[in-house]
Amino acid sequence: MSVKRIEAVNDFVIKFANVNGSGSASANELFARAFLRMGIPVSPRNIFPSNIQGLPTWYEVRVSENGWLGRRGGCDLMVAMNPQTWAQDLKEIDPGGYLFYDNTKPLPKSRFREDIHVVGMPLTEISNSAYTLPRERQLFKNIIGLGALAALIGLEPEVIAELIGEQYKGKEKLLKPNLNALQLGLNYAREHLKDAIGLKAKRAYAVGEQIFMEGNAATALGCVYGGATVCAWYPITPSSSVAEAFTNYCSKLRVDKDTGKNKFAIIQAEDELASIGIVTGAGWNGARAFTATSGPGISLMSEFIGLAYFAEIPATIIDVQRGGPSTGMPTRTQQSDLLACAYASHGDTKHVLLFPEDPHECFTMAADCLDLAERLQTPVFLMTDLDIGMNHRLCKPLKWDDARRYDRGKVMTAEMLDAGREFARYKDLDGDGIPFRTYPGTHESKGAYFTRGTSKNPSAIYSEAGPDYQYNMQRLLKKHDFAKTLVPKPLLTPSREPARFGAIYYGSTSPSMNEALESLAQQGIFVNALRVRAFPFADEIQDFVHSHSKVFVIEQNRDAQMKTLLVNEAHINPASLVSILHYDGAPITARFITKEISEIAAALNVRPIKRDKAA
Amino acid sequence: MTYLAKPRLHHPTLKKNAVGYTRRDYEGKVSTLCAGCGHDSISAALIEAFWQLDIQPHRVAKLSGIGCSSKTPDYFLGNSHGFNTVHGRMPSVLTGANLANRDLTYIGVSGDGDSASIGLGQFAHVMRRGVNMAYILENNGVYGLTKGQFSATADKGSKAKKGSVNSDSPVDTVSLALLMGATFVARSFSGDKQQLVPLVKAAIAHPGAAFIDVISPCVAFNNHEGSTKSYDYVRAHNEAVNRLDFWPSREAITAEYREGEVIEVAAGAEGGILKLRKLAADYDPSDKISAITHIARAAQKGEVLTGLLYAAPDAEDLHAHLNTYGAAFNTLGAKELCPGSGVLERINASLR
Ligand SMILES: Cc1ncc(C[n+]2csc(CCOP(=O)(O)OP(=O)(O)O)c2C)c(N)n1
Ligand code: SF4
Ligand SMILES: [Mg+2]
């Protein structure tokens, strides 16, 4: 029986199974970048444990000339370098796919599968005979493997050599042995493994102007462009690299040329209680401030978030979501903090959330958050996740309009006070629920007020009177409602043909959803898709649901948190929503969405037998 | 209790300070604390200190946590912005506020529950960072606002009003502040205005983290026999190491001390002068190590050591550590902060 062979050009999934800390990361990244240089879109994902050395890690590379950048599901080629996960890795390969492994020590036939193609290469042997130091042997084994894969798949060796050259610019001593190792791999594969793999890379022109960037770095840059001067944080995966990138960018872009002084202050606080406190203090005093954290940090910050909501203090909170509850799956992705953030803190609270889909939106929305927080005088959350934050993603180039000025919101100045403008800190003067504030130190006799988390009257005087409290709470509600006119609008992707079904999705689900919509259309299942980009919900979302008989809500959490918010806050009948939930910690795949929707659609399309009219 | 504002009728003869304000201009709302509460005396000392220092009230920001003590910023400097934050976490809010605008004077008011119980972490870290502020801890050994439970500064063996005895060791806030890196550390007593006002003035002028632990009896819950934070107890056990005078500038110094009794210590921000009259012959407030030992010995003897315990001659603050820009961050806009589209194009190019 001949085994089927997956043949594909510029459209496949390759997965590397590695051991954490073995130096595989840099070779993996070179591999992914080589596709980009050949004009082929690629989307790599690190799947890693909460550990520094010794545990399994994976690097999954989606290659797609069509530009599908989400996880597809399945695996066409497994590069199995970790004996510990061998059995699990072997299982993941699609029938007709390939297994590439180090056959220095031969394995019995029973350790393989009949329905896949096994490509062995004595990587350790080649590396050991070429190098003597144990560290070199380990590191160059990765590069030898990279050379072999390049030959097998058709990645242009010059492109990889160029990338290695860029990596070791100024460190010529390291450059040569790397290029040698690459050549060793190329030579071996050309000689011994001719046409062993049916997956091919072919130069294309599908990358264009796009950039390749991590979401957390884009978020940090958005905070630089958006004018944040104070950053307070406490290390937590997967958010730490936001603060680290902010530090990095600021040291290049925010040091005053004349004085050498910093136009930023970054505090690695003692905990998240302090980071949000610092942000609150800075926001109260008129500086743009943000913190970056993940679920456990949000839990700790809750009391302060309530204070900032009730006392009306701007704060930008970046939540790079990971698997919860508790420590949960600290290095896996999820969209499971929606409710925790939307209603963070005790008492009646509601917060503004933004949902970026990729680094491009992380950049623009981070800057938007800083504007919104000051315009609305309230905490605003940027809800990213590990999948967007910690992986390089191909996306539109970042854009900034030089005419853009920061929206500092309603701030009453000394001039306005001198001109006799009415100032009452918590009074709605304009009908949008947003009062004026003053910065401390503004005026010698007017505009000072006392900020507190306790109830107060419109002039900020302590008051436990029922009507004062209710006026304030109603105004906050009005302000929240007004926020829906300011936040990013949902985006509609209409189907090619009239559709009964709708789908609502958000954040990092976006690229897999795009691919799933196309797969579904090819099966004749047409779905209008609406990407929700913010809470509070724009009215369009309600209209969208009402114009479809069923709307799928695709999420990466167990409890259908977006659905809950839609039902609660957009007054949508839960019967019109069908949840599709993915929450195993790995990013959602296009195949998963396609399968779920097609199965449910099939079931819904079955006409029920005519019921008794009396029923 | 009354929420009425005080009448603001200015008497034409009320004395004005150098910036044209009378003492009344430094007052706040009518206090709602119990009559005789130590905290009110501290508010009075703050009013006096700010008036004497010729600081315009609106250039001060007052921050506090939660508790009877933390309510007091409403009762002084009514023309300043104030912020009653959350329990135990005033230090972080003050840190952020200070980063946003380095040009104001920051005063933090807290209680012993606020700073030594729930807020011990933030208390320690704000001292480590050297935030430029005057941090006043109004220490009564109990949670006043929640009706008299022991706080973490209650001495071992001290008796609660209802009779229970505290068996936990106390947190000594001055020692802790010293160990954490505060550059100005003092202890005083709400009942000793003569000592407290100059200390507060010096703390405000100090260009770094200044901390004063003020024993401030709670008449409602901790002023009985068996308490170590009652008026009687503190009066009987007060051991002042020195008496301080503070002048904002050199010219004002009057030589009223006898030679040999007086030492000069760390200058304040604008070159102010601290003069200390030594009461304990062997006490040197510029020597941190010996200060720590001295405090520990006094505690062992059951003394309440007061006075200026430590002032670093070379204090620096967080802004110096972070090398921050001279202008207040809250005055900077897109022009000063945004790198612009040209730079972004270059960043884009580096990401291809
Ligand atoms: C998170 C939180 N827990 C508990 C409280 C209740 N609470 C209010 S004041 C206070 C104690 C205040 O004690 P202290 O700081 O010594 O101030 P005092 O009233 O003695 O001046 C407590 C426990 C609170 N406000 N917030
Ligand atoms: S309860 Fe104690 S601390 Fe509170 S106001 Fe009364 S005397 Fe002061
Ligand atoms: Mg107390």
Side-chain angles (χ1 to χ4, degrees), chain A residues 17 29 32 42 46 92 98 120 145 169 173 240 242 248 302 347 374 389 463 478 481 519 553 574 612:
Chain A
E29 207 180 310
V42 72
N46 279 299
E92 260 192 61
Y98 308 86
K169 208 162 144 191
K173 252 176 79 186
S240 300
V242 174
N248 217 346
S302 281
E374 287 203 313
S463 165
K478 190 186 210 179
D481 201 49
S519 310
V553 185
D612 187 353

Short mmCIF file of all heavy atoms in Angstrom, two decimals, chain A residues 17 29 32 42 46 92 98 120 145 169 173 240 242 248 302 347 374 389 463 478 481 519 553 574 612:
data_model
loop_
_atom_site.label_atom_id
_atom_site.label_comp_id
_atom_site.label_asym_id
_atom_site.label_seq_id
_atom_site.Cartn_x
_atom_site.Cartn_y
_atom_site.Cartn_z
N ALA A 17 9.35 20.48 17.60
CA ALA A 17 9.24 20.07 19.01
C ALA A 17 10.63 20.14 19.60
O ALA A 17 11.54 19.42 19.17
CB ALA A 17 8.68 18.66 19.10
N GLU A 29 13.52 30.94 14.56
CA GLU A 29 13.13 32.25 14.05
C GLU A 29 13.74 32.50 12.67
O GLU A 29 13.09 33.08 11.80
CB GLU A 29 13.54 33.34 15.04
CG GLU A 29 12.64 34.54 14.92
CD GLU A 29 13.00 35.67 15.88
OE1 GLU A 29 13.16 35.39 17.09
OE2 GLU A 29 13.13 36.80 15.40
N ALA A 32 11.52 30.86 10.12
CA ALA A 32 10.29 31.60 9.81
C ALA A 32 10.60 32.84 8.97
O ALA A 32 9.90 33.13 7.99
CB ALA A 32 9.59 31.99 11.10
N VAL A 42 4.01 34.24 6.74
CA VAL A 42 4.24 33.17 7.69
C VAL A 42 3.78 33.66 9.05
O VAL A 42 3.78 34.86 9.33
CB VAL A 42 5.74 32.80 7.68
CG1 VAL A 42 6.58 33.86 8.34
CG2 VAL A 42 5.99 31.46 8.31
N ASN A 46 5.04 30.48 19.40
CA ASN A 46 5.78 29.78 20.44
C ASN A 46 4.78 29.15 21.39
O ASN A 46 3.87 29.81 21.87
CB ASN A 46 6.60 30.78 21.26
CG ASN A 46 7.89 31.14 20.55
OD1 ASN A 46 8.72 30.27 20.30
ND2 ASN A 46 8.04 32.41 20.23
N GLU A 92 0.27 14.00 16.24
CA GLU A 92 -0.28 15.24 15.70
C GLU A 92 -0.17 15.38 14.19
O GLU A 92 -0.82 16.22 13.57
CB GLU A 92 0.43 16.44 16.33
CG GLU A 92 -0.36 17.07 17.43
CD GLU A 92 0.23 18.39 17.83
OE1 GLU A 92 0.31 19.30 16.98
OE2 GLU A 92 0.64 18.51 19.00
N TYR A 98 4.75 14.47 7.31
CA TYR A 98 6.15 14.10 7.42
C TYR A 98 6.67 14.24 8.85
O TYR A 98 6.25 15.12 9.60
CB TYR A 98 7.00 14.99 6.50
CG TYR A 98 6.48 15.01 5.09
CD1 TYR A 98 5.47 15.90 4.71
CD2 TYR A 98 6.97 14.11 4.14
CE1 TYR A 98 4.97 15.91 3.43
CE2 TYR A 98 6.48 14.10 2.84
CZ TYR A 98 5.47 15.01 2.50
OH TYR A 98 4.97 15.00 1.22
N GLY A 120 14.80 10.72 8.29
CA GLY A 120 15.80 10.72 9.36
C GLY A 120 17.11 11.33 8.88
O GLY A 120 17.46 11.26 7.70
N GLY A 145 20.33 21.38 11.18
CA GLY A 145 18.94 20.99 10.90
C GLY A 145 18.25 22.01 10.01
O GLY A 145 17.52 21.66 9.09
N LYS A 169 25.90 40.61 12.74
CA LYS A 169 26.58 41.82 12.27
C LYS A 169 27.50 42.33 13.38
O LYS A 169 27.08 42.52 14.53
CB LYS A 169 25.54 42.88 11.94
CG LYS A 169 26.01 43.84 10.87
CD LYS A 169 24.85 44.57 10.26
CE LYS A 169 25.21 45.99 9.93
NZ LYS A 169 24.01 46.76 9.59
N LYS A 173 33.19 36.67 14.19
CA LYS A 173 33.74 35.40 14.67
C LYS A 173 32.65 34.33 14.77
O LYS A 173 32.92 33.14 14.62
CB LYS A 173 34.40 35.60 16.05
CG LYS A 173 35.92 35.53 15.98
CD LYS A 173 36.57 35.83 17.30
CE LYS A 173 36.54 34.63 18.27
NZ LYS A 173 37.07 35.04 19.59
N SER A 240 5.13 41.01 30.66
CA SER A 240 6.37 41.70 31.02
C SER A 240 7.03 42.40 29.84
O SER A 240 7.60 43.48 29.98
CB SER A 240 7.37 40.72 31.63
OG SER A 240 6.83 40.14 32.78
N VAL A 242 5.83 44.00 27.54
CA VAL A 242 5.29 45.34 27.23
C VAL A 242 6.15 46.40 27.93
O VAL A 242 6.64 47.34 27.30
CB VAL A 242 3.82 45.48 27.69
CG1 VAL A 242 3.34 46.92 27.49
CG2 VAL A 242 2.91 44.51 26.95
N ASN A 248 12.80 50.07 26.48
CA ASN A 248 13.70 50.08 25.34
C ASN A 248 13.41 51.23 24.37
O ASN A 248 14.30 51.99 23.99
CB ASN A 248 13.47 48.75 24.62
CG ASN A 248 14.75 48.21 24.08
OD1 ASN A 248 15.74 48.94 24.01
ND2 ASN A 248 14.74 46.96 23.70
N SER A 302 -8.07 45.20 41.58
CA SER A 302 -9.51 45.48 41.53
C SER A 302 -9.96 46.65 42.41
O SER A 302 -10.76 47.47 41.99
CB SER A 302 -10.30 44.24 41.90
OG SER A 302 -10.33 43.39 40.80
N GLY A 347 -19.06 46.80 44.09
CA GLY A 347 -20.07 47.82 43.79
C GLY A 347 -20.43 47.78 42.32
O GLY A 347 -19.97 46.92 41.57
N GLU A 374 -8.38 59.67 29.32
CA GLU A 374 -8.45 61.07 29.73
C GLU A 374 -9.76 61.72 29.32
O GLU A 374 -10.32 62.53 30.05
CB GLU A 374 -7.26 61.85 29.17
CG GLU A 374 -5.98 61.48 29.88
CD GLU A 374 -4.89 62.54 29.81
OE1 GLU A 374 -4.63 63.06 28.70
OE2 GLU A 374 -4.31 62.86 30.85
N GLY A 389 0.45 38.94 21.92
CA GLY A 389 1.49 39.69 22.62
C GLY A 389 2.88 39.13 22.45
O GLY A 389 3.84 39.87 22.27
N SER A 463 -20.54 63.33 50.89
CA SER A 463 -21.99 63.28 51.10
C SER A 463 -22.49 61.85 51.00
O SER A 463 -22.20 61.15 50.02
CB SER A 463 -22.71 64.14 50.06
OG SER A 463 -24.10 63.81 50.06
N LYS A 478 -24.31 57.15 32.39
CA LYS A 478 -24.48 57.97 31.19
C LYS A 478 -23.13 58.12 30.48
O LYS A 478 -23.02 58.01 29.26
CB LYS A 478 -24.97 59.35 31.63
CG LYS A 478 -25.44 60.26 30.52
CD LYS A 478 -25.74 61.59 31.18
CE LYS A 478 -26.80 62.39 30.52
NZ LYS A 478 -27.01 63.65 31.28
N ASP A 481 -22.28 54.98 28.75
CA ASP A 481 -23.09 54.85 27.55
C ASP A 481 -22.54 55.76 26.44
O ASP A 481 -22.46 55.37 25.28
CB ASP A 481 -24.54 55.23 27.88
CG ASP A 481 -25.49 54.65 26.87
OD1 ASP A 481 -25.35 53.44 26.58
OD2 ASP A 481 -26.34 55.40 26.35
N SER A 519 -13.08 28.89 4.29
CA SER A 519 -13.33 27.44 4.19
C SER A 519 -14.82 27.15 4.20
O SER A 519 -15.31 26.30 3.45
CB SER A 519 -12.70 26.69 5.36
OG SER A 519 -11.38 27.07 5.53
N VAL A 553 -21.02 32.99 18.44
CA VAL A 553 -20.08 33.86 19.17
C VAL A 553 -18.84 33.02 19.47
O VAL A 553 -18.91 32.05 20.24
CB VAL A 553 -20.71 34.41 20.46
CG1 VAL A 553 -19.75 35.39 21.13
CG2 VAL A 553 -22.04 35.08 20.17
N PRO A 574 -30.51 35.59 24.49
CA PRO A 574 -29.50 34.54 24.46
C PRO A 574 -29.83 33.43 23.46
O PRO A 574 -28.93 32.78 22.94
CB PRO A 574 -29.46 34.00 25.89
CG PRO A 574 -30.54 34.68 26.64
CD PRO A 574 -31.04 35.84 25.84
N ASP A 612 -47.37 19.43 15.38
CA ASP A 612 -48.80 19.61 15.61
C ASP A 612 -49.07 21.07 15.92
O ASP A 612 -48.40 21.68 16.75
CB ASP A 612 -49.20 18.72 16.81
CG ASP A 612 -50.71 18.71 17.01
OD1 ASP A 612 -51.40 19.50 16.31
OD2 ASP A 612 -51.16 17.94 17.86
#
